[in-house]
Each structure stands twice: as structure tokens, then as C-alpha cells.
Amino acid sequence: MESSVLRRRALAACTATVAVGALALAGLTGSASADPASQFRTPTATGAEQLSPGLLKAMRRDLGLAADEARSRIGHEARAAAVAAGLKRSLGADFAGARVSGDDAALTVATTDASDAARIREAGARPVVVEHSQAELDSAKAALDHVALRRAPEGVPVWYVDVAANRVVVQAARASAADGFLAEAGVARDVVTVRQFAERPRTFTDLRGGDAYYMNGSGRCSIGFPVKRGSQSGFVSAGHCGTPGVSTSGYNQQAQGSFQGSTFPGRDYSWVATNTGWTPRALVNGYGNGDVTVTGSTEALEGASICRSGSTTGWHCGTVQQRNTSVTYQEGTVSGVTRTNVCAEPGDSGGSFISGSQAQGVTSGGSGNCSQGGTTYFQPVNPALQAYGLTLVTNGTPTDPPTDPPTEPGGTWAAGTTYAAGDVVTYGSDSYRCLQPHQAQPGWTPPNVPALWQHV
């Protein structure tokens, strides 16, 4: 099961600490403004100037972007993501999704209520009025997922929420297969578009050796991102790479650790605890062109640029097509993955998907190849972190969350929520203003991470 790999420098070498403090998310630093429109328009420092030469080279090859254009695009996309997060909260049940387009990451925000249009324009985005809310589409897809988790649908390999089309898209080999799937799930056709789809997605795995990590001395997969759980170091990867208790060895065939948790199918994530001989670093392998530093895990919007690091095919880039996708492999259905037009091949499983400096997920599977192009799905990293109580290793120095986080004292702050610069939350009896956009993780409470939150 080979795949993308955080090679030697990404696995062994100097001490690195779990980081949130310096979370520079492409985007928004310094003073916190409550006006999302000002954050969208102001070209503040994004960290895009620190992108690795390898990533820039891949974006030039796959997206046709010169280095300055790539840096600019990533900065625009990060600011758009912050604005979209703010509008999602303010629009509430009317929100129907957000996406970016073009090198300047023009932001489009959909709503079911035409009266929201002025508010969306004021924030610097283009409003679109649609029929179905994001919650309605997500609910329809969840019903399909529920059926697929009991029994993988025959002839229906992929389904997802398409924000741009304002529909749930079901890709099927035959219309009758899609009809049966929808009927069993009780999903109305008025929210669904059925598309013919002849390809058969597979997980990117094989048994060839390579510069990665090995399971029980045989199969090979790749590290997604280094993590910590309390004082325990390790990494996340794809769930189909191994089950709890399976031992791992590193690229050099030296003892490394063992799988502590794994989910596949259903989801496709796992985590491996490593021994003290392996030092986690906030890096993604740059294949000789400079490793990429990881500064956080804020999700990129649909339409945003994204790159993948894989041991078989190296760096390849493309765009986020649809989040919240379900795909059926031979082994079963996996839900909640993100669909991209980045290519990948067997041997790339488990590897890192990253947008700018923001970790996005681990390679799951797909179809096609890097000679003729293809579709690749990745398992978002934040659900994996939440599932196992992990903290992503980044280039800052926050306090590690405890293995078993204590009971929260109450307030509006919540792990798993995406916050934009300027957002105000309560934690206990105190109020805090967000300084940098991020998706909160367990242990990243406002008092613990002053780089993210300012007491007010």
C-alpha cells in the first residue's frame, strides 16, 4: 500500500512542537476586525511568500501559475475562506454553500433568501439565490450515506453535494442503479442530479517497496501529517493502510510504531503512534525542492487550489471540486471525503493534501492516472484529529492538549468550529476575539492559545 511519504527529513531530525500559536493561515494576521469585508479586501500577510519551491513548481506545471501568481492566489483563497466562514454563521439556515473561482479567488456565496444578497455583497462576495440550503443538501446526502454504510450500492460509486449546481450529484453506471439507491434512502429526485459514470474508483495501494512506511514488514503506505496526543508522537494516514495493532517500520525498515486507531470503510483515516526514535516535524516532503511547512488545518473552499505529495508521482496540483463526497470502493463506501481533479496513482495512498500551508487531508483513492489525468478523493484531516483526540504538528508552539481533555467550563467556543478573524466567543465567564482564522481543535481553548484569541 504505497503512497505519498514524508521522507527522512519529515520523519526523523530535529525536535518540533505541536503548533497553533503561529498559525498564520494564509490570511489574516495582526489586528482583529469584526468586518469580514475588510479582511477580504485587505492584502494582509498570508504566509504565501513561504511556499516551498516544489509546491510552486507543481502549481506552475498543473495550474499554469507563475510563482507570484501562485502566492497571490493562495492569499486570496485564504481571505475568501475567512469571509465565507463568517457569512455561513450570519446567514444561518439560509446558507447554501460558498465557492471561489479564478486566480483572484472571486468568492460566491449562495443563499435561499434574496434579502441576504446585500449582506453578502457588503462582505465582498457575489450572492447567488438558490432553491436548496446547504443543510437540506447535506441531509439528503446523509440519507444516502446511511444506506451505503449498511450495504455498498451496486453500480453507484460516487455521490456528493455540488455547491455550484445546488444539487446532490449521484454518479452511477446505470440510471436504474441510481433510482434504486435513491428510493431505498428516501431521497427526493428534485434535489438530485444523476450522471453516468463508468469508472471504478480504487484505493491507491500496492505491495511495492519504497521510501515510506511499512505495515508488518510488507505492505507500504505514506505518512499524511505528523501529530501528537499528549506527549505521544505519531502520524495520521489512510484507514485502509492498517488496523489497530499492526506494527509499522519506517522508510529505512527500522521499527517505528503501531496503528492505534483505524476506520475503513465508512471513513478512511488512521493514526499510528511512533517510538522515541522518530521525531515529528511540521513538514510535507518536497521531493528535493524544499519541504513544505504546515501551519494549520483550515479547510480550503470548493474551487480553491490544492496540491498533493505522493511517493509514486511526487507533487501534483489541481482544485477542490466538492467536499462531503461519498465514494464506493471494492472494500465498501467511504463518506465525507473531498473530491479533487488532482491525479494520483497506486502508491500515493495516505499521502498529504495541502493548500498553501494548510493541511487538508490524506489521500484515499480515485480513478485515472497522472499520464492522462484523473480524480482523487482525500479524507479531510480535521475529522481524523477529532476522532482520535490528536493535535496536528505545526510550526508554532502552543500547549499540547491533554489526552483526555477536561470538561469545558461553558460558553460559545466549541472545538470543530471554523472561526474567522474578528469573531467573538465566550469561554467560561470571559470573552475572546479571534485574531487568526482557524478550525478549532480539542485543547485549543482561547486561554491556551493567545496567538489565536485575544481576551476582551
Side-chain angles (χ1 to χ4, degrees), residues 263-321:
T263 300
F264 180 79
R267 295 290 187 267
D268 194 5
Y269 48 60
S270 63
W271 92 279
V272 172
T274 56
N275 60 43
T276 56
W278 298 86
T279 302
R281 301 185 64 195
L283 297 173
V284 171
N285 180 16
Y287 290 91
N289 294 294
D291 293 339
V292 179
T293 299
V294 179
T295 65
S297 58
T298 298
E299 292 184 351
L301 294 177
E302 294 186 4
S305 60
I306 196 166
C307 295
R308 178 192 55 73
S309 177
S311 62
T312 298
T313 58
W315 276 107
H316 282 276
C317 300
T319 57
V320 175
Q321 294 186 312

Side-chain angles (χ1 to χ4, degrees), residues 150-433:
R150 297 197 307 266
R151 178 182 55 82
E154 181 67 28
V156 185
V158 178
W159 57 100
Y160 52 82
V161 173
D162 189 331
V163 170
N166 192 231
R167 309 279 286 179
V168 174
V169 174
V170 174
Q171 296 183 335
R174 308 175 309 279
S176 59
D179 290 341
F181 185 33
L182 294 172
E184 186 175 356
V187 173
R189 285 299 298 263
D190 65 350
V191 299
V192 175
T193 295
V194 175
R195 294 176 182 165
Q196 187 170 6
F197 187 75
E199 296 179 6
R200 188 175 182 84
R202 69 200 187 283
T203 50
F204 290 121
T205 59
D206 59 36
L207 298 177
R208 295 176 297 173
D211 193 1
Y213 74 91
Y214 299 84
M215 295 75 69
N216 284 341
S218 55
R220 179 168 75 91
C221 265
S222 298
I223 289 171
F225 296 96
V227 298
K228 298 199 71 148
R229 184 176 181 184
S231 60
Q232 175 65 60
S233 299
F235 58 85
V236 290
S237 189
H240 67 264
C241 288
T243 56
V246 169
S247 63
T248 67
S249 55
Y251 68 91
N252 55 6
Q253 294 287 5
Q254 297 300 306
Q256 182 188 65
S258 63
F259 282 82
Q260 303 298 299
S262 178
T263 300
F264 180 79
R267 295 290 187 267
D268 194 5
Y269 48 60
S270 63
W271 92 279
V272 172
T274 56
N275 60 43
T276 56
W278 298 86
T279 302
R281 301 185 64 195
L283 297 173
V284 171
N285 180 16
Y287 290 91
N289 294 294
D291 293 339
V292 179
T293 299
V294 179
T295 65
S297 58
T298 298
E299 292 184 351
L301 294 177
E302 294 186 4
S305 60
I306 196 166
C307 295
R308 178 192 55 73
S309 177
S311 62
T312 298
T313 58
W315 276 107
H316 282 276
C317 300
T319 57
V320 175
Q321 294 186 312
Q322 287 87 24
R323 308 197 75 88
N324 193 16
T325 295
S326 294
V327 56
T328 297
Y329 302 125
Q330 182 178 358
E331 301 88 341
T333 295
V334 176
S335 298
V337 293
T338 297
R339 183 172 179 263
T340 75
N341 60 2
V342 184
C343 72
E345 296 181 6
D348 288 326
S349 276
S352 316
F353 265 87
I354 192 164
S355 181
S357 64
Q358 299 296 304
Q360 298 297 309
V362 300
T363 303
S364 175
S367 56
N369 56 53
C370 288
S371 297
Q372 300 176 333
T375 297
T376 301
Y377 306 92
F378 70 82
Q379 166 67 57
V381 69
N382 285 323
L385 299 176
Q386 294 164 15
Y388 301 124
L390 306 172
T391 300
L392 183 70
V393 173
T394 66
N395 69 337
T397 55
T399 302
D400 286 344
T403 301
D404 297 305
T407 302
E408 303 295 356
T412 59
W413 180 89
T417 302
T418 299
Y419 292 106
D423 287 349
V424 176
V425 300
T426 57
Y427 186 78
S429 59
D430 296 319
S431 297
Y432 297 85
R433 179 178 293 111

Side-chain angles (χ1 to χ4, degrees), residues 15-167:
T15 301
T17 52
V18 179
V20 176
L23 196 81
L25 170 93
L28 310 159
T29 63
S31 61
S33 167
D35 175 15
S38 67
Q39 297 292 350
F40 183 73
R41 291 191 295 262
T42 303
T44 53
T46 66
E49 67 279 357
Q50 300 177 0
L51 298 178
S52 80
L55 187 145
L56 292 173
K57 181 179 179 181
M59 293 185 73
R60 172 186 285 275
R61 181 194 63 214
D62 295 338
L63 297 174
L65 299 175
D68 288 345
E69 293 171 330
R71 293 186 183 99
S72 175
R73 174 166 174 164
I74 287 172
H76 286 309
E77 288 170 351
R79 286 188 288 271
V83 173
L87 286 171
K88 180 178 180 179
R89 286 189 294 279
S90 66
L91 296 178
D94 296 344
F95 181 76
R99 64 187 189 276
V100 293
S101 59
D103 293 344
D104 60 350
L107 176 62
T108 299
V109 174
T111 177
T112 57
D113 188 342
S115 66
D116 294 327
R119 189 188 324 178
I120 294 171
R121 288 194 191 92
E122 185 179 355
R126 182 177 74 92
V128 174
V129 180
V130 295
E131 181 179 359
H132 307 292
S133 69
Q134 182 81 61
E136 183 181 358
L137 297 177
D138 286 345
S139 177
K141 182 183 171 295
L144 296 173
D145 292 346
H146 182 70
V147 169
L149 289 175
R150 297 197 307 266
R151 178 182 55 82
E154 181 67 28
V156 185
V158 178
W159 57 100
Y160 52 82
V161 173
D162 189 331
V163 170
N166 192 231
R167 309 279 286 179

